[in-house]
Amino acid sequence: MGEKFISTPSRTKEILEKYSLGAKKSLGQNFIVDTNILNKIVRTGNVDKQTNVIEVGPGIGALTEQLAIHGKHVLAFEIDERLLTVLEDTLSPYQNVTVIHDDILKADIKETVARELPDAKRLVVIANLPYYVTTPILFEFLYADLPIDEMVFMMQKEVAQRITAKPGTKAYGSLSIAVQYYMEAAVAFTVPKTVFNPMPNVESAIVHLTKRDVPPVLLSEPPVFFQLVRNAFVQRRKTIWNNLQAAYGKDTETKDKMVLALEEAEIDPSRRGETLTIEEFGKLANAFAKRDISALNQKNKENLFTGSVILY
Ligand code: SAM
C-alpha cells in the first residue's frame, strides 16, 4: 500500500497517470476521490468482519479497498480488461479480495458466489454503479436467488428518488413498486459531483435496500402483479380504470370481471395508479389472477417471472 488510500485525489491521479488510463464514459467510469464518502457507504451497508461483499465495477479499487479493510471478503466483478492489472497492483496489500473479469449482466453470479464465498453467512451487495445499467444490475440481484440481506448502491439521484418513492408522489411508479415489493428502500444520503474524477453530469445518491422478512402482500401469481403495476402507469395522468381498459380490453366480459376485481380489492376505479399502495396493487393482482384477467402471453409471463426482461 502506498501511505495513502487509493481514494485520495493525489493517489488516484498517480494511478491514472501510471497506467495512462482515460476513464471510459461508455462504461460509466467515474472514480470516487473522497474517503469520507466511501466510509459512509461502508457504514450504510453495516459492513463488518462477518460480512461478505459483492461489488460491481471496482474501477481502480477505491471502494474495494475500504470494503476489504472493514469486511470479511470482497468479490468484485469488473468488465474493463484494462483495470485488471491496475487492480492487481492497487489491491495487492489485501488478501481478502477476488476480482472477476466479467460483465455482471452476463456472469453466473450464483455459481461464482458458491465457488468464491462458500461459507458466506452474511452477504451484501455494494457498488458505485455504472449509471447506464443501473436498473438491469439492480434487477439482476433482486432475482439472483442469493441470501442477500442488504444492498447499497450509488446511482443517479433521479433514479434513486424513483426507486424509493412513496405512493402519492410524482416519482412513485412501477420501478418503485417492483423494487419495494422485495426490499425496503431509502435514500441514505446524496453525493455531490465533486467527489468524482471525472465529474459526472448528474447528481448522485446512495440508496439503501434491506430485504423484507415478509412481502407486503402474498401474490398468487407474481407475473400478474408486475404486469398489472406496469399497465396501471402507462398513462400516469389517466385513472386506473382507463389504463386497465387500455391494457386488458374494453369488451363487456373483461370489463365486468375488472369491475368485480376492483370491488373485491376495494379500489375506486377513478383513482390514479400513483395513489395505490403496494398492498392495494397486490390485492388487485390477486383478484385479477382469480378471474383469469390477463394481458400476458405465456412468454411474457415467464420473462417477467425470471426477471430476464428488463422492463424499467
Ligand atoms: N468502484 C469504483 C469507484 O467507486 O471509484 C468505480 C465505479 S465506476 C462508477 C463503475 C465501474 O463499473 C467501472 O469500473 C466500470 O468499468 C464498471 N462496469 C461498467 N459496466 C459494467 C458491467 N456491465 N459489469 C461489471 N462492471 C462494469
Side-chain angles (χ1 to χ4, degrees):
M1 183 164 42
E3 64 285 4
K4 288 180 283 180
F5 287 137
I6 300 165
S7 48
T8 53
S10 56
R11 177 100 192 276
T12 295
K13 194 161 166 266
E14 256 168 56
I15 296 166
L16 296 179
E17 277 169 10
K18 178 172 172 192
Y19 291 94
S20 309
L21 265 180
K24 277 196 189 170
K25 261 196 177 169
S26 62
L27 291 177
Q29 290 178 352
N30 301 93
F31 304 117
I32 298 188
V33 286
D34 185 319
T35 311
N36 284 332
I37 293 283
L38 294 175
N39 280 321
K40 271 175 91 174
I41 294 175
V42 171
R43 280 201 299 277
T44 303
N46 298 304
V47 175
D48 59 20
K49 282 292 160 194
Q50 272 70 51
T51 307
N52 291 281
V53 185
I54 302 178
E55 189 194 358
V56 182
I60 61 170
L63 175 57
T64 325
E65 176 175 56
Q66 299 306 323
L67 294 171
I69 291 169
H70 297 277
K72 185 175 178 201
H73 198 100
V74 188
L75 178 59
F77 294 80
E78 175 56 61
I79 196 172
D80 186 352
E81 194 173 4
R82 300 178 308 159
L83 296 172
L84 301 183
T85 5
V86 182
L87 288 165
E88 232 171 82
D89 172 10
T90 58
L91 297 175
S92 60
Y94 307 99
Q95 304 312 306
N96 58 343
V97 178
T98 310
V99 176
I100 306 279
H101 178 215
D102 210 343
D103 177 343
I104 193 68
L105 298 174
K106 298 200 176 126
D108 186 339
I109 305 172
K110 204 175 169 184
E111 190 271 325
T112 314
V113 168
R115 191 182 65 234
E116 303 292 341
L117 303 171
D119 58 350
K121 292 218 168 54
R122 188 176 136 69
L123 188 59
V124 303
V125 182
I126 300 191
N128 172 13
L129 289 174
Y131 293 174
Y132 74 108
V133 274
T134 298
T135 52
I137 292 176
L138 181 52
F139 280 89
E140 194 70 27
F141 286 106
L142 283 180
Y143 290 97
D145 187 24
L146 281 166
I148 296 166
D149 297 332
E150 295 179 56
M151 305 197 222
V152 180
F153 290 128
M154 168 102 77
M155 61 180 70
Q156 190 175 334
K157 195 166 130 196
E158 284 72 26
V159 182
Q161 285 164 342
R162 285 171 57 210
I163 286 174
T164 59
K166 297 290 170 233
T169 63
K170 240 170 76 186
Y172 183 68
S174 50
L175 178 61
S176 333
I177 297 166
V179 176
Q180 291 177 41
Y181 182 75
Y182 299 104
M183 314 289 285
E184 307 233 24
V187 171
F189 55 97
T190 55
V191 178
K193 294 177 188 180
T194 45
V195 307
F196 299 94
N197 175 4
M199 272 197 243
N201 295 323
V202 295
E203 300 290 335
S204 301
I206 300 290
V207 169
H208 185 201
L209 303 173
T210 318
K211 182 130 192 156
R212 291 184 187 278
D213 295 331
V214 281
V217 56
L218 284 176
L219 302 172
S220 55
E221 287 192 46
V224 172
F225 170 79
F226 291 106
Q227 183 72 62
L228 172 69
V229 168
R230 286 183 51 73
N231 287 334
F233 286 99
V234 168
Q235 298 221 40
R236 285 189 73 90
R237 308 196 62 77
K238 290 203 167 171
T239 63
I240 185 149
W241 180 242
N242 282 335
N243 274 316
L244 293 180
Q245 280 190 90
Y248 295 87
K250 294 187 164 97
D251 58 288
T252 317
E253 195 195 332
T254 310
K255 275 171 43 176
D256 286 350
K257 285 205 273 185
M258 290 200 297
V259 167
L260 289 175
L262 284 157
E263 270 174 22
E264 185 179 314
E266 296 176 59
I267 292 164
D268 181 341
S270 67
R271 287 170 64 185
R272 287 190 194 161
E274 69 198 42
T275 69
L276 268 67
T277 63
I278 299 183
E279 290 82 349
E280 287 179 313
F281 271 118
K283 276 193 207 163
L284 187 58
N286 286 344
F288 265 47
K290 190 162 120 189
R291 292 172 180 81
D292 223 9
I293 310 170
S294 171
L296 303 171
N297 60 36
Q298 195 54 36
K299 189 160 172 282
N300 272 342
K301 265 194 185 182
E302 279 162 17
N303 286 340
L304 268 173
F305 196 59
T306 59
S308 57
V309 165
I310 303 307
L311 298 157
Y312 299 91

